[in-house]
Amino acid sequence: ATGLVLMSGRGFAKADRFVRAGQWTQRGFELTTKLAGRTAGILGLGRIGKAIAKRLEAIGMRIAYTGRAAQPGVPYRFLPDLRALARESDFLIVACPGGAATRHIVDADVLAALGAKGTLVNIARGSIVDEPALVAALEAGTIKGAALDVFADEPNVPAALLRMDVARFYDKRVAL
């Protein structure tokens, strides 16, 4: 998750393609997102979510989270609603368990709340994100990008995602 935030936020794959294409000698690379001061919203602050938060906090990101309930003794800001978390996040990181209770919990409304400044990062289960809604949000520019480690029908990656510019869609198996 931390690697996907770094890759999507700092544009590592795009920068690599820029240099390999010989564009480095012709012009400067476009500016990328500064991560310090940005907000990482974590859906699911269990053991893995906490480990992600710790790493992202170390690079200067603000951390907020949502889950079934606020956790006592956790230094991060709790938001009881996923849409509210998405609205306040630059990176919405999915780290919750899969299953019937979370199937398509990241839907078109959540992606709209994340908005054009936001990137979805999913390292949990493909079933948690409504993939057709994600494809539509990426194509329409509703969200800035997606960095995905999982898909609903693994090992198959939706063709619409594979056709997208890596600047909009990052997959550890495709973009690196």
Side-chain angles (χ1 to χ4, degrees):
T2 303
L4 290 172
V5 168
L6 288 166
M7 186 176 67
S8 60
R10 300 297 294 164
F12 291 161
K14 191 173 183 178
D16 180 67
R17 287 193 329 269
F18 178 82
V19 171
R20 290 175 188 272
Q23 295 176 357
W24 179 258
T25 60
Q26 300 164 12
R27 62 183 171 90
F29 187 69
E30 65 189 50
L31 295 176
T32 60
T33 302
K34 177 182 174 187
L35 296 176
R38 303 281 184 204
T39 299
I42 301 175
L43 169 58
L45 199 69
R47 180 181 53 81
I48 294 169
K50 286 175 184 160
I52 294 166
K54 182 179 177 181
R55 286 163 177 81
L56 294 177
E57 188 177 36
I59 60 174
M61 295 184 77
R62 294 186 303 260
I63 309 298
Y65 74 100
T66 195
R68 287 177 281 214
Q71 296 186 24
V74 172
Y76 313 120
R77 192 162 60 99
F78 174 75
L79 293 163
D81 175 75
L82 179 54
R83 284 186 196 97
L85 179 67
R87 268 191 300 280
E88 295 201 19
S89 297
D90 297 293
F91 295 86
L92 179 61
I93 301 165
V94 180
C96 65
T102 58
R103 180 171 171 71
H104 291 182
I105 194 171
V106 178
D107 58 13
D109 291 339
V110 171
L111 296 169
L114 182 57
K117 69 168 178 38
T119 297
L120 177 71
V121 176
N122 187 5
I123 55 94
R125 297 284 181 261
S127 63
I128 297 167
V129 176
D130 179 344
E131 277 183 358
L134 174 61
V135 168
L138 287 164
E139 289 176 339
T142 302
I143 64 172
K144 182 177 182 180
L148 308 171
D149 188 41
V150 292
F151 300 93
D153 184 30
E154 291 185 350
N156 303 307
V157 178
L161 292 177
L162 290 176
R163 286 190 301 270
M164 290 182 189
D165 181 356
V166 175
R168 305 264 321 135
F169 162 66
Y170 294 86
D171 167 36
K172 70 176 182 177
R173 293 162 289 192
V174 175
L176 298 177

